[in-house]
Amino acid sequence: MPKNVENFEIRTLGRDDYAQAAEIFAFVHALHQANRPDIYRKTNVPLGEDEFFKMCDDPHEIMLCAELDGKPVGYVNLYKEPGGPFAGTGWPYIVDFAVLERVRGRGVGSALMDAVEALAAETSDTVCLGVGLHSGYGAAQRMYVLRGYVPDGSGVWYEGCVWDQYAPCVNDDELNLFLSKKLF
């Protein structure tokens, strides 16, 4: 499913792409290590070849990659079975969206979102996602709202659970708001 946007190609990742995908995972690893090394291992970022192959073989997950001149510059995953507040809905779930800083603002993120939403629309009229609440997710928060995503109304989640009103929490990668969008 190649899609060219300017000089970018958006395509699915498969078993033959581990070497290229490892570059993306190294970027994400560095990002997580710099921000919160104590929670890095909780993320869904594959840590090695075995984990990558397991993801490639999972019929409930599709990995998309954005490439510029044959080098990965961003990626996003689509899970066919959501969790959190969307468990049981059957709505596809967008996760692990990342674009290298050096190419941000050039349409890579929008192209990835267009592609992943098109895949979601093949099986559902609605797609969902979760977004972190700290400033590191600011660009993503803004993009999701501008693309028509709305909060689900369950409030803030922390470490996979609805967080009680007035309960203290840490503004880290585990503090999330869940959003959904009607595709058609």
Side-chain angles (χ1 to χ4, degrees):
M1 112 184 222
K3 177 177 181 180
N4 291 313
V5 176
E6 296 177 20
N7 296 324
F8 300 102
E9 180 183 354
I10 308 296
R11 65 182 187 82
T12 56
L13 288 176
R15 284 180 148 265
D16 295 338
D17 295 311
Y18 178 73
Q20 286 185 302
E23 292 181 45
I24 295 173
F25 303 146
F27 157 72
V28 173
H29 178 77
L31 180 69
H32 283 285
Q33 286 291 352
N35 291 330
R36 285 296 306 273
D38 57 318
I39 68 162
Y40 171 66
R41 294 221 178 257
K42 291 183 185 177
T43 67
N44 291 326
V45 178
L47 301 177
E49 195 170 0
D50 289 341
E51 291 88 352
F52 178 76
F53 290 154
K54 192 180 290 184
M55 291 172 70
C56 288
D57 295 339
D58 186 344
H60 299 290
E61 182 173 358
I62 301 169
M63 297 181 289
L64 296 179
C65 176
E67 294 180 341
L68 173 62
D69 299 325
K71 296 285 186 184
V73 294
Y75 81 109
V76 65
N77 293 336
L78 184 67
Y79 294 174
K80 294 182 182 177
E81 296 296 327
F86 303 113
T89 63
W91 298 342
Y93 183 52
I94 297 171
V95 294
D96 297 335
F97 175 69
V99 175
L100 294 177
E101 286 186 35
R102 67 182 170 83
V103 297
R104 289 183 185 165
R106 295 172 56 187
V108 176
S110 291
L112 278 167
M113 288 300 293
D114 288 347
V116 77
E117 288 174 358
L119 282 172
E122 292 176 7
T123 59
S124 179
D125 68 346
T126 303
V127 67
C128 55
L129 54 81
V131 65
L133 295 181
H134 65 69
S135 61
Y137 292 100
Q141 294 163 1
R142 182 172 165 73
M143 180 184 69
Y144 296 146
V145 169
L146 292 172
R147 292 183 71 89
Y149 286 83
V150 296
D152 76 307
S154 66
V156 174
W157 286 60
Y158 189 70
E159 294 184 339
C161 299
V162 173
W163 210 243
D164 291 335
Q165 189 172 355
Y166 303 111
C169 62
V170 177
N171 193 9
D172 62 18
D173 289 344
E174 297 296 315
L175 187 65
N176 293 282
L177 186 65
F178 288 90
L179 310 157
S180 65
K181 174 183 177 177
K182 282 286 190 191
L183 297 170
F184 51 87

